[in-house]
């Protein structure tokens, strides 16, 4: 993509309403534009990241054997009256009357809607387990939306639901999602810690939050340092293994959020040199809640003994739009964002330092088309801005690798390569660039 | 995908509320499930088709150089008060009050929202043209929603917007979208006729509807038959050509909808043997409307003479969820859907006629994994149903090609191949199947 054709409205000033670094950087780098309080438009740079995260989440759900569906944003209130949550949910639920004065709502979550789909279709234990997910915009009318996309009102979430014959089968589904979440976050370059959580008003007996470590996180977390090395083997775990054993390895380590933290327990369970305190950001949450909804909404199946049984359910969420902010919180410096390669909006930034010079333009155009031919997604700054503007813009938007072409390239026949994260700089002869590109593609350096 | 793992709740009976064939077939084949009046959940089979259509639309917009963004579903009423449409729009607009009693709405379209994004970011003629699109759910509170996804209340649409310095530049953008729409529909295997349309209350002087021919369409259309052959060359039109000339070739042919039809004009402009009357379904609409919104919302840029000028705008829509229904209306038979290859939810249906037989299972498993290795998206019916159920289900869901394995395969060492559209049947030796798969991949027969 040529920058001259790319809609990238970078801001010079940090908007005063942006309190945290990810919100500031997303506004400054033209990733989002505010529509109203807690509601954002995603501009091209931000949308590319959002889609990359969405696709990783989707791919891992598919690999875990979960079926993708898409439920509407607007739901009938009647379903929520069946479950009893219509009155309970409070003002965070955006309630709507349509032109026929029917009560509707903008879904803040989808347990009722998916249970309705299930009960219409599945009648026999033979069709269990049924695992469904969708990736859809949701709305929670937060009293004080803040922190940009980290706590917005309209937000993109992957929510999944499991339906099983009994508690033991339900636990198997729960473990499957547990593992799939660890695989998902690891693929994004994140260290996610599964922390046993309260099940709260949703009921049930199994619940974990997935929290990523970030210096600027929203809450304090305490954990045994050794849990951080556990996920190095998670990619290799196949879903037909004994997953309970893998989950148990994580549960063996002490973890606690601020509210649940107990120093004595910490000292008793974790050696001093492994005790870690950090800030964290919640990016996923999984629950198992038994027959809470299936009983209320009469979602039952015929068992092998010919009896009717209420199905056991779980729900499993990942905040996709929230992850964009969370990744920035955990990966940035004073110059701007530092994208992990797999979610970076482009692989490479190509900077033309003198687009008034025909020779330099020709070199850049050659490199640009060669990169495109190699399926490298490159952002080519072909604009007439001065070098300082170009450097700071490219650092701000945080692509992993920069290729810099200018007068020096003509003199020395060398391209300057800059790695955004380390700041490392090296020089490659123009004719060796194709080899270099092959190498970095293989090494996943982009 | 194994059918035993795929959530495909096929219905035995046609739901009585479904009046038209696409609605009936989408319900019967488990593509959608109704949530409330005019609002549907997309089940896995339907969602796969929706995504394929969405991706073709996206790819063609990208090729035309349009930048993808994503605006929220919930918009502030204030923007619509600026443009003057808040009061005009009527009851089709879903109006909402949030917990702070701010007036909000579920976007039925996005001229105001995108103009707001534009005016915040673009200040100079140098950044024009600006072309933006998004693919997002919209809501129109139809009084009587019907025809399934063809006239739903919550629907998926691609809407694009162009911003240009003056009317002449705006026309160039308009032509670009005109051509991109012809390319888009042709890629889906559809014959789309661009018909000059009234610009109506939206104002402006350039407007076309894109209508596909379907026996079961919603309105009568009249046209010169020769326009149908025009688009055979459209794939080759590059966007740096003189597009006005290409557009003019289409405009030379007489086309008219029911309301605008005039028999004398038809006779004067079209030879008797080229006169065609048919039913049609509108799947796209493009408008140019000058400075209507830019004046009301103060979206202006600095010209090269240093003056302020209101930008000239156009908007360009494709009904993505509607297209799913429209394609079925134009491609089905008494047995069910017949998908054009490029939007088919799977490439091939593999039918195991005797899943109690180990030999037959082994043959099927081999074929299944070979197809997956070849990146052929195959739905493998591995269930224990009887052959009649399997055949009618596979015909109903309309995959282009079926591979049928049963006792006969053991006897003759041959796989039965059935083409869904033509009904043609042929037999291929098991050992020749890999070659056959290579051939059909090359010939785009799947």
């Amino acid at each position: 993509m040529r920058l001259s054709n790319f809609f990238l409205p970078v801001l010079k000033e940090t908007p005063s309403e942006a309190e945290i670094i990810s919100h500031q950087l997303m506004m400054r780098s033209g990733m989002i534009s505010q529509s109203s309080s807690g509601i954002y438009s995603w501009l091209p740079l931000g949308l590319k990241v959002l889609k990359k995260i969405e696709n990783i989440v989707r791919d891992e759900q598919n690999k875990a054997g979960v079926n993708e569906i898409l439920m509407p944003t607007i739901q009938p209130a009647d379903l929520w009256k069946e479950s009893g949550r219509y009155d309970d949910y409070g003002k965070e639920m955006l309630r709507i009357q349509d032109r026929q004065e029917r009560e509707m709502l903008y879904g803040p979550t989808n347990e009722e809607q998916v249970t309705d789909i299930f009960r219409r279709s599945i009648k026999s234990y033979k069709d269990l387990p049924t695992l469904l997910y969708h990736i859809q915009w949701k709305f929670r009318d937060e009293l004080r939306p803040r922190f940009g996309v980290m706590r917005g009102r309209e937000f993109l979430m992957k929510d999944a639901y499991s339906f099983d014959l009994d508690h033991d089968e339900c636990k198997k589904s729960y473990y499957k999602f547990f593992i799939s979440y660890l695989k998902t976050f690891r693929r994004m370059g994140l260290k996610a810690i599964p922390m046993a959580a309260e099940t709260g008003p949703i009921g049930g007996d199994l619940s974990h939050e997935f929290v990523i470590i970030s210096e600027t996180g929203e809450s304090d977390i305490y954990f045994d340092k050794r849990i951080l090395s556990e996920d190095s083997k998670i990619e290799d775990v196949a879903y037909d293994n004994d997953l309970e054993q893998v989950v148990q390895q994580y549960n063996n380590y002490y973890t606690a959020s601020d509210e649940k933290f107990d120093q004595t327990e910490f000292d008793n369970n974790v050696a001093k040199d492994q005790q870690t305190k950090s800030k964290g950001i919640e990016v996923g949450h999984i629950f198992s809640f038994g027959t809470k909804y299936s009983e209320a909404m009469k979602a039952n199946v015929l068992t092998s003994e010919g009896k009717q049984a209420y199905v056991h359910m779980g729900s499993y969420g990942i905040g996709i739009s929230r992850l964009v902010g969370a990744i920035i919180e955990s990966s940035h410096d004073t110059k701007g964002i530092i994208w992990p390669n797999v979610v970076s909006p482009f692989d490479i930034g190509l900077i033309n330092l003198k687009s008034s010079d025909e020779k330099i333009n020709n070199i850049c155009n050659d490199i640009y088309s060669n990169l495109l031919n190699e399926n490298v997604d490159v952002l080519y700054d072909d604009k007439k801005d001065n070098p300082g503007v170009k450097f700071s813009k490219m650092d701000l938007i945080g692509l992993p690798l920069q290729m810099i072409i200018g007068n020096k390239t003509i003199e020395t026949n060398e391209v300057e390569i800059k790695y955004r994260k380390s700041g490392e700089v090296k020089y490659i002869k123009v004719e060796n660039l194709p080899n270099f590109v092959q190498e970095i593609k293989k090494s996943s350096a982009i």
Side-chain angles (χ1 to χ4, degrees), chain A:
Chain A
M1 175 67 74
R2 284 172 186 271
L3 189 57
S4 56
N5 294 330
F6 192 59
F7 185 70
L8 184 70
V10 167
L11 303 182
K12 286 190 191 106
E13 315 265 311
T14 299
S16 58
E17 73 275 16
E19 298 170 47
I20 60 167
I21 191 74
S22 60
H23 190 189
Q24 291 166 5
L25 288 172
M26 288 179 76
M27 297 292 288
R28 279 184 52 207
S29 64
M31 290 178 66
I32 52 172
S33 172
Q34 186 171 329
S35 170
S36 62
S37 174
I39 304 182
Y40 297 89
S41 291
W42 292 77
L43 305 185
L45 193 76
L47 183 58
K48 286 196 81 168
V49 178
L50 188 72
K51 291 263 176 204
K52 287 210 169 178
I53 294 173
E54 179 183 328
N55 285 334
I56 291 173
V57 171
R58 172 175 291 119
D59 190 50
E60 290 296 338
Q61 292 290 290
N62 292 344
K63 282 181 180 158
V66 193
N67 273 248
E68 186 174 9
I69 62 173
L70 185 59
M71 292 175 270
T73 60
I74 302 296
Q75 303 179 15
D78 284 347
L79 287 178
W80 289 67
K81 289 179 180 168
E82 272 192 73
S83 76
R85 280 209 292 181
Y86 192 61
D87 294 327
D88 294 352
Y89 212 93
K91 290 197 167 182
E92 277 194 14
M93 182 190 278
L94 191 65
R95 291 157 208 262
I96 301 169
Q97 267 208 348
D98 73 4
R99 69 190 292 177
Q100 313 271 25
E101 295 180 5
R102 282 172 295 214
E103 288 175 284
M104 314 287 288
L105 57 97
Y106 199 123
T109 177
N110 287 63
E111 282 80 7
E112 285 80 357
Q113 181 76 72
V114 76
T115 303
D116 185 49
I117 291 171
F118 175 87
R119 71 180 172 183
R120 290 178 192 208
S121 320
I122 304 289
K123 307 290 181 193
S124 160
Y125 74 97
K126 290 181 193 164
D127 291 319
L128 300 183
T130 296
L131 308 179
L132 301 173
Y133 78 98
H134 83 154
I135 295 175
Q136 179 61 294
W137 292 90
K138 293 175 182 61
F139 202 96
R140 288 182 196 161
D141 203 356
E142 302 267 355
L143 188 58
R144 271 178 226 86
R146 55 194 172 147
F147 304 155
V149 301
M150 294 272 288
R151 187 162 299 175
R153 292 199 289 169
E154 188 171 329
F155 58 96
L156 187 63
M157 192 168 168
K158 186 285 298 179
D159 39 327
Y161 304 89
S162 64
F163 302 85
D164 280 286
L165 188 61
D166 56 32
H167 183 66
D168 276 353
E169 290 297 310
C170 183
K171 260 166 57 179
K172 287 186 197 159
S173 294
Y174 184 88
Y175 297 145
K176 195 177 253 191
F177 282 99
F178 188 105
I179 302 297
S180 78
Y181 276 33
L182 291 170
K183 288 177 188 257
T184 301
F185 296 125
R186 184 170 164 83
R187 235 175 105 176
M188 291 176 200
L190 298 171
K191 281 276 178 202
I193 302 176
M195 303 178 71
E198 305 288 350
T199 54
I202 205 162
D205 62 352
L206 277 171
S207 177
H208 282 86
E209 284 175 13
F210 290 79
V211 175
I212 62 167
I213 298 171
S214 158
E215 275 175 41
T216 52
E218 58 201 347
S219 58
D220 287 326
I221 54 171
Y222 302 82
F223 58 90
D224 186 327
K225 204 192 223 166
R226 290 171 299 170
I227 199 171
L228 295 178
S229 349
E230 268 308 315
D231 74 344
S232 60
K233 297 157 292 186
I234 202 72
E235 289 161 40
D236 305 327
V237 175
Y239 288 106
D240 49 8
N241 280 5
D242 177 6
L243 301 181
E244 180 157 20
Q245 207 191 319
V246 183
V247 172
Q248 202 46 52
Q249 286 174 316
Y250 284 87
N251 285 338
N252 284 341
Y253 295 110
Y254 181 90
T255 61
S257 60
D258 220 358
E259 309 93 60
K260 294 180 70 183
F261 177 66
D262 181 301
Q263 185 68 49
T264 317
E265 226 183 319
F266 203 30
D267 290 336
N268 289 343
N269 286 285
V270 188
K272 269 283 174 212
D273 60 338
Q274 303 296 345
Q275 290 185 2
T276 312
K277 181 189 173 186
S278 172
K279 296 271 186 190
I281 301 171
E282 185 196 328
V283 290
H285 202 151
I286 63 178
F287 296 97
S288 159
F289 43 72
T291 58
K292 179 179 160 73
Y293 297 96
S294 58
E295 283 195 42
M297 296 181 68
K298 312 242 176 319
N300 43 15
V301 293
L302 205 65
T303 68
S304 59
E305 291 94 35
K307 291 183 190 156
Q308 291 291 344
Y310 292 118
V311 288
H312 287 246
M313 293 175 56
S315 74
Y316 313 89
I318 292 180
I320 293 180
S321 46
R322 158 168 266 244
L323 267 167
V324 181
I327 290 172
I328 296 174
E329 289 294 333
S330 73
S331 185
H332 65 269
D333 63 14
T334 52
K335 292 176 184 165
I337 303 165
I338 301 171
W339 290 116
N341 303 338
V342 286
V343 300
S344 180
F346 295 92
D347 301 318
I348 289 181
L350 174 63
I351 302 179
N352 180 335
L353 289 180
K354 205 175 179 186
S355 54
S356 57
D357 185 310
E358 203 180 335
K359 262 193 195 163
I360 292 178
N361 284 343
N362 287 341
I363 296 173
C364 284
N365 285 336
D366 277 357
I367 295 174
Y368 179 61
S369 35
N370 286 336
L371 287 171
L372 292 183
N373 285 339
E374 289 290 335
N375 285 320
V376 175
D377 197 12
V378 51
L379 181 65
Y380 170 27
D381 186 348
D382 59 345
K383 295 184 82 170
K384 298 209 187 302
D385 300 325
N386 69 52
V389 169
K390 293 193 175 210
F391 288 136
S392 58
K393 187 184 286 180
M394 207 55 96
D395 282 348
L396 174 65
I397 68 173
L399 312 182
L401 196 143
Q402 301 172 8
M403 291 185 174
I404 301 159
I405 318 288
N407 281 333
K408 269 208 219 154
T409 315
I410 306 280
E411 290 160 23
T412 63
N413 193 34
E414 281 178 344
V415 175
E416 182 179 336
I417 306 287
K418 196 177 122 189
Y419 292 88
R420 174 68 182 86
K421 189 171 180 177
S422 64
E424 186 199 340
V425 170
K426 60 179 170 188
Y427 297 88
I428 306 278
K429 293 274 176 207
V430 173
E431 60 270 26
N432 291 336
L433 212 51
N435 280 340
F436 174 71
V437 171
Q438 293 303 330
E439 271 169 44
I440 54 176
K441 275 174 75 172
K442 266 186 225 150
S443 69
S444 310
I446 55 166

